[in-house]
């Protein structure tokens, strides 16, 4: 059926994208650039030993969450696709939904952690609002781009891409 | 460690380069087999295998091995290359498939029989794979074993050999692409990966905090090593998960 070829990849793609987006945030922003940790804008700053300990714990929980999202996304993908998988990895639909997931991670994490709870900012300091808004804009861009990509897959479906083809 | 007494420069160069001989030999053997293969061996497989051999060689040559003798952070650099990144690249080169294609049919059948046999079934059992791979980590860092390896060269080499072998076994079972007749199912492999990640990350945290570990190294050095283990391990495991995605969902190489 042509109609159910697409939605099957939505959930696994988004979950995988959320996990991968979290990884990029965790490795790039927390570790390599050290711009922020989970709670650096609260009373637990990263400048005291106790604060650093609590931040390490929360970074650990965040780490667990991102891994569960990646492994869970892969498991769901496998359960949806099973052995029927040729062309899956080059399917625009999957990578489009992964981008949507990554963008959603930025949007939700940005709104909840940076703006509503205010527990940390992308880069604390005089221009923190600009950084936080940029983070949201990047998330919106990823979500929109991913959406367009997977929609393009729907139009190309006939014959061009085996995974999205009607016989799947 | 005191350097071994030796005469002229040639011996010095030979001793310095000796550890890289094995990876170099593997690379040469692989390239020869690729050249014999008339059916067009995929280039990305060759690239992966040669990258893996190069990573092992880099880990064993003096700039890195000397650094590893001086610091715990250096040991972690070596650990990541020998146990995680190097073996993953080697496994992605599908050396067994290449061997099966290069050998005469009778020999190839013997190897296939070996892969289907009982010992292979035991070694690729999820619990055994995990025990050999991440089980070795607590044994190394939570006991006096690590300190012992810094004074005993044979033990030091044995640990390195174990790193490479266990890392290769893990990458092969989880991500293929070589045949493994008793390979666990994809859901089982995801659970194995999850357990390995959890043990690896927890140990990195324990080392960072200096809790329960037997490490006779300065605190700063210990933390730097733990940090590298934590985040470097993440990157290597993420690559492994993506490699599994391509082998579990992508097309497989035709063997014989």
């Amino acid at each position: 059926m042509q109609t159910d070829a697409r939605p099957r990849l939505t959930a696994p793609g988004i979950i995988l994208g959320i996990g991968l987006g979290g990884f990029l945030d965790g490795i790039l922003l927390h570790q390599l650039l050290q711009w922020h940790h989970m709670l650096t804008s609260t009373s637990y700053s990263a400048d005291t030993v106790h604060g650093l300990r609590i931040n390490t714990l929360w970074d650990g929980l965040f780490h667990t969450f991102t891994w569960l999202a990646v492994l869970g996304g892969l498991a769901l993908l496998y359960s949806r696709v099973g052995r029927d998988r040729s062309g899956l990895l080059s399917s625009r639909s999957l990578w489009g939904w992964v981008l949507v997931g990554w963008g959603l991670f930025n949007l939700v994490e940005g709104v909840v952690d940076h703006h509503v709870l205010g527990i940390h900012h992308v880069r604390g300091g005089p221009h923190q609002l600009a950084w936080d808004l940029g983070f949201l804009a990047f998330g919106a861009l990823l979500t929109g781009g991913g959406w367009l990509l997977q929609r393009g897959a729907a139009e190309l479906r006939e014959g061009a891409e085996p995974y999205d083809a009607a016989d799947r | 460690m005191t350097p071994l007494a030796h005469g002229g420069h040639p011996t010095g160069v030979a001793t310095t380069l000796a550890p890289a001989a094995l990876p170099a030999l593997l690379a040469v053997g692989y390239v020869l087999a690729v050249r014999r293969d008339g059916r067009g061996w995929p280039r990305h497989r060759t690239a992966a295998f040669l990258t893996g051999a190069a990573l092992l060689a880099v880990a064993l040559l003096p700039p890195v091995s000397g650094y590893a003798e001086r610091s715990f952070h250096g040991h972690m650099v070596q650990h990541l290359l020998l146990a995680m990144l190097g073996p993953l690249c080697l496994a992605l080169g599908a050396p067994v498939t290449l061997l099966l294609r290069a050998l005469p049919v009778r020999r190839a059948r013997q190897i296939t029989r070996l892969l289907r046999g009982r010992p292979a079934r035991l070694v690729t059992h999820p619990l055994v794979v995990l025990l050999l791979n991440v089980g070795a980590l607590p044994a190394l860092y939570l006991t006096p074993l690590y300190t012992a390896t810094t004074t005993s060269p044979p033990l030091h080499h044995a640990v390195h050999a174990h790193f490479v072998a266990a890392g290769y076994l893990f990458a092969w079972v989880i991500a293929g692409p070589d045949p493994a007749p008793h390979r666990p199912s994809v859901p089982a492999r995801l659970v194995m990966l999850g357990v390995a990640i959890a043990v690896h990350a927890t140990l990195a945290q324990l080392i960072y905090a200096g809790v329960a570990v037997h490490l006779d190294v300065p605190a700063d050095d210990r933390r730097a090593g733990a940090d590298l283990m934590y985040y470097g391990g993440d990157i290597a495991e993420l690559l492994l998960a993506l490699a599994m995605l391509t082998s579990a969902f992508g097309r497989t190489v035709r063997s014989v």
Side-chain angles (χ1 to χ4, degrees), chain B residues 172-224:
Chain B
W172 168 51
V173 170
I174 298 281
D178 269 334
H182 307 297
R183 177 173 282 135
S185 68
V186 169
R189 279 186 267 160
L190 284 170
V191 171
M192 286 165 75
L193 200 54
V195 171
I197 291 160
V199 173
H200 203 266
T202 308
L203 260 168
Q205 297 274 24
L206 287 179
I207 293 172
Y208 189 90
V211 174
V213 288
H214 278 74
L215 293 170
D216 189 17
V217 292
D220 279 350
D221 188 20
R222 196 192 65 226
R223 286 198 209 108

Side-chain angles (χ1 to χ4, degrees), chain B residues 1 145-159:
Chain B
M1 259 184 270
L145 183 60
Y146 174 76
T147 312
T149 61
T150 58
T151 49
S152 156
L155 205 57
H156 186 77
H157 294 310
V159 167

Side-chain angles (χ1 to χ4, degrees), chain A residues 16 20 23 26-27 30-31 34 52 56 59-60 63 67 70-71 74-75 77-78 81-82 85-89 95, chain B residues 186-187 190 193-194 197 201 205 208 227-228 230-231 233-235 237-238 241-242 244-252:
Chain A
L16 198 58
L20 293 174
F23 259 109
I27 292 178
H30 291 219
Q31 177 60 19
Q34 306 227 336
L52 202 57
T56 309
D59 278 358
H63 183 248
W67 265 121
V70 169
L71 296 178
L74 286 177
L77 184 64
Y78 187 74
V81 180
R85 65 205 182 191
S86 55
L88 174 69
L89 291 178
W95 299 113
Chain B
V186 169
L190 284 170
L193 200 54
I197 291 160
Q205 297 274 24
Y208 189 90
D227 247 352
L228 182 65
Y230 193 73
Y231 289 99
D234 266 359
I235 293 173
E237 282 149 352
L238 204 56
L242 294 179
M244 194 195 90
L245 184 72
T246 59
S247 76
F249 297 104
R251 286 178 210 92
T252 43

